């Protein structure tokens, strides 16, 4: 993922794929032109990288020149195209091949045709590395197209967003979901996860998705997914990850405008963590951090026993059960700690102290994401 000015972009087309497409165009054009020496005309600025790579791959003699037009401001095509540098050589009787980085609305191409109207060239061929068929609204024939792409704004390989990104060897696509803060919240029983989740939700305007709550909601309301989950539970079987993911997906989709999510109680396994990554990826988003409250076992046991005296929760009353639950937690989460640490997304936060002290520690981590 990269950020240019205020916008986030995700990897879209690799340097290698571009290289292959450029090579194919060069071969196709060379095959069609036979022994004729063409004049390749690049359109500045965007096509500088393409032209450079293209002519190196072109297997026969050729000439190269550039014209400069400007049609784009920010991320929207404008009608107003200016010719900044025109043709500087006589092209009478020559085969001219326009090398465009990208054809979007076709406005630039229209201007190119206007420029060549009176040049008496033998033929004018159009070659473009990228082409957005959904955006194109002209009738000019495109003789060579490297790659058709969806109607989304891209940067890299000569293409810019407000001046930035031209230098990137790969192509990136504008993310439809801009930056979100998505957290996976962890903590052993008694660590104060619920309290801190409530605080984070308020402070960062996040949606708290507690898997337990989501399950109870779906089962209580007898949704299709709830009934499906229940059918496994009734047989004493584990609910398949996909069912849980589908439920989480629904929750995420209910809140498309959210600043982000706090996932609580999920993932529990490596496979689930991967599935969650895929889910977020499909939303053009990502998990930014696993935040784990770290509290010493003895402190936890003491806290839970105290809680048991007032709450009456049976599982908080028995020290042996408590210790077992804590052990279970570490057995299960150790793998996830590794999973997120590998992506440099694991943040352990000291969970001993006053509620305020802990919230300050959590905020320090989140503010840096
Ligand atoms: P058109 O005139 O709408 O076909 O757009 C052509 C010009 O707009 C290109 O030469 C680029 O300079 C710019 N452009 C179109 N689409 C993109 C994009 O996705 N990223 C960056 N520039 C673009
Ligand atoms: Mg261009």
């Amino acid at each position: 993922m990269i950020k240019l000015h205020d916008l986030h972009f995700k990897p879209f087309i690799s340097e290698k794929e571009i290289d292959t497409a450029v090579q194919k165009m060069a071969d196709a054009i060379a095959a069609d032109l036979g022994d004729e020496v063409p004049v390749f005309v690049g359109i500045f600025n965007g096509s500088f990288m393409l032209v450079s790579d293209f002519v190196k791959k072109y297997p026969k003699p050729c000439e190269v020149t550039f014209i400069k037009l400007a049609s784009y401001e920010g991320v929207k095509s404008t009608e107003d195209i200016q010719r900044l540098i025109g043709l500087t050589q006589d092209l009478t009787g020559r085969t001219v091949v326009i090398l465009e980085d990208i054809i979007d609305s076709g406005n630039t191409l229209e201007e190119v045709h206007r420029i060549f109207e009176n040049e008496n060239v033998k033929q004018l061929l159009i070659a473009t590395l990228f082409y957005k068929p959904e955006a194109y609204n002209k009738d000019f024939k495109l003789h060579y197209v490297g790659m058709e792409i969806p109607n989304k704004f891209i940067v890299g390989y000569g293409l810019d967003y407000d001046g930035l990104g031209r230098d990137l060897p790969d192509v990136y696509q504008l993310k439809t979901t801009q930056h979100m803060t998505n957290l996976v919240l962890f903590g052993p029983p008694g660590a104060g996860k619920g309290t801190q989740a409530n605080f984070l939700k308020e402070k960062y305007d996040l949606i708290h998705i507690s898997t337990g709550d989501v399950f109870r909601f779906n089962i209580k309301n007898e949704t299709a997914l709830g009934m499906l989950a229940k059918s496994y539970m009734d047989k004493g079987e584990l609910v398949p990850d996909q069912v849980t993911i589908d439920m989480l997906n629904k929750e995420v989709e209910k809140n498309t405008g959210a600043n982000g999510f706090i996932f609580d109680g999920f993932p529990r396994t490596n496979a689930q963590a991967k599935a969650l990554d895929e889910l977020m990826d499909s939303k053009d988003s990502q998990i930014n951090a696993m935040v784990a409250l770290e509290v010493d076992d003895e402190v936890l046991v003491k806290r839970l026993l105290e809680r048991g005296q007032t709450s009456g929760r049976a599982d908080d009353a028995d020290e042996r059960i408590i210790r077992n639950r804590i052990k279970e937690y570490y057995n299960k989460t150790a793998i996830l700690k590794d999973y997120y640490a590998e992506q440099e997304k694991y943040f352990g936060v000291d969970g001993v102290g006053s509620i305020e002290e802990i919230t300050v520690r959590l905020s320090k981590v989140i503010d840096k994401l």
Side-chain angles (χ1 to χ4, degrees):
M1 227 190 51
I2 55 161
K3 188 179 180 202
L4 301 175
H5 299 295
D6 55 329
L7 296 181
H8 292 84
F9 295 83
K10 59 177 179 178
F12 181 40
I13 303 167
S14 71
E15 190 175 3
K16 203 164 152 256
E17 289 170 286
I18 296 168
D19 193 74
T20 307
V22 174
Q23 183 71 58
K24 263 173 95 176
M25 278 211 299
D27 292 343
I29 295 172
D32 288 351
L33 296 187
D35 290 329
E36 211 167 331
V37 178
V39 183
F40 291 114
V41 179
I43 315 287
F44 269 145
N45 291 336
S47 70
F48 79 97
M49 224 183 247
L50 167 68
V51 174
S52 166
D53 285 347
F54 179 92
V55 294
K56 280 180 273 181
K57 293 184 192 308
Y58 196 73
K60 296 176 194 173
C62 62
E63 290 178 35
V64 191
T65 189
F66 287 91
I67 56 176
K68 182 164 168 118
L69 308 165
S71 70
Y72 246 70
E73 235 174 83
V75 294
K76 269 176 73 194
S77 186
T78 67
E79 295 285 323
D80 179 31
I81 300 172
Q82 297 168 25
R83 195 179 318 176
L84 302 170
I85 303 174
L87 285 167
T88 51
Q89 85 200 80
D90 181 18
L91 295 172
T92 308
R94 303 294 302 272
T95 286
V96 170
V97 184
I98 302 296
L99 289 180
E100 261 285 38
D101 46 351
I102 189 162
I103 291 179
D104 184 293
S105 68
N107 289 342
T108 309
L109 190 57
E110 187 166 55
E111 181 62 13
V112 166
H113 277 87
R114 212 172 293 134
I115 291 172
F116 283 88
E117 233 164 40
N118 303 314
E119 291 294 323
N120 300 313
V121 299
K122 181 178 164 199
Q123 57 176 339
L124 181 66
L125 300 173
I126 309 299
T128 184
L129 177 57
F130 301 116
Y131 168 48
K132 297 178 184 170
E134 296 155 47
Y136 190 58
N137 57 36
K138 300 284 189 278
D139 292 322
F140 304 109
K141 184 174 163 65
L142 308 181
H143 302 85
Y144 304 95
V145 172
M147 261 181 238
E148 291 194 0
I149 60 167
N151 191 9
K152 288 201 180 151
F153 191 75
I154 59 172
V155 291
Y157 200 71
L159 295 159
D160 72 311
Y161 164 48
D162 214 359
L164 294 180
R166 292 196 197 278
D167 53 323
L168 302 166
D170 304 290
V171 162
Y172 296 78
Q173 190 179 59
L174 181 65
K175 283 175 48 149
T176 46
T177 311
Q178 286 299 306
H179 190 72
M180 283 180 141
T181 304
N182 299 310
L183 309 173
V184 169
L185 186 62
F186 266 86
K193 216 167 41 136
T195 311
Q196 297 301 334
N198 275 334
F199 154 78
L200 293 176
K201 194 172 99 173
E202 288 296 318
K203 171 154 186 193
Y204 296 98
D205 195 16
L206 304 175
I207 307 288
H208 182 195
I209 300 185
S210 153
T211 319
D213 290 346
V214 172
F215 260 92
R216 280 185 287 275
F217 172 87
N218 277 279
I219 290 172
K220 183 166 160 261
N221 290 288
E222 301 188 350
T223 68
L225 286 169
M227 301 308 282
L228 184 58
K230 196 168 173 293
S231 72
Y232 288 97
M233 290 153 89
D234 288 346
K235 282 182 279 179
E237 287 171 19
L238 282 175
V239 178
D241 286 350
Q242 195 53 49
V243 177
T244 312
I245 278 287
D246 288 346
M247 283 189 203
L248 295 181
N249 183 30
K250 286 245 154 63
E251 293 304 307
V252 170
E253 285 184 346
K254 273 187 214 162
N255 300 287
T256 43
N259 275 344
F261 298 92
I262 302 172
F263 293 96
D264 179 355
F266 192 91
R268 287 262 161 87
T269 63
N270 242 320
Q272 291 179 349
K274 278 207 189 89
L276 183 60
D277 277 349
E278 278 160 26
L279 169 65
M280 296 319 281
D281 194 49
S282 76
K283 302 285 182 269
D284 255 5
S285 195
Q286 69 290 310
I287 296 296
N288 302 83
M290 170 185 183
V291 184
L293 290 169
E294 294 173 340
V295 182
D296 186 78
D297 288 7
E298 299 313 311
V299 177
L300 291 176
V301 172
K302 199 168 145 253
R303 275 191 198 169
L304 287 172
L305 284 172
E306 274 168 20
R307 187 168 89 182
Q309 280 173 0
T310 49
S311 77
R313 261 176 72 166
D315 56 351
D316 282 351
D318 183 327
E319 182 168 337
R320 216 168 37 90
I321 296 178
I322 289 174
R323 286 193 188 276
N324 231 333
R325 276 164 60 206
I326 297 170
K327 214 174 93 197
E328 267 268 299
Y329 167 81
Y330 285 110
N331 285 343
K332 281 204 178 125
T333 55
I335 330 156
L336 289 166
K337 182 175 171 177
D338 293 344
Y339 181 88
Y340 288 106
E342 239 169 63
Q343 304 179 38
E344 291 174 35
K345 288 179 180 172
Y346 177 84
F347 299 91
V349 172
D350 181 4
V352 182
S354 70
I355 293 177
E356 293 75 23
E357 281 168 338
I358 299 163
T359 54
V360 168
R361 288 175 203 148
L362 284 169
S363 298
K364 271 197 191 140
V365 169
I366 294 165
D367 290 340
K368 278 195 212 124
L369 294 175

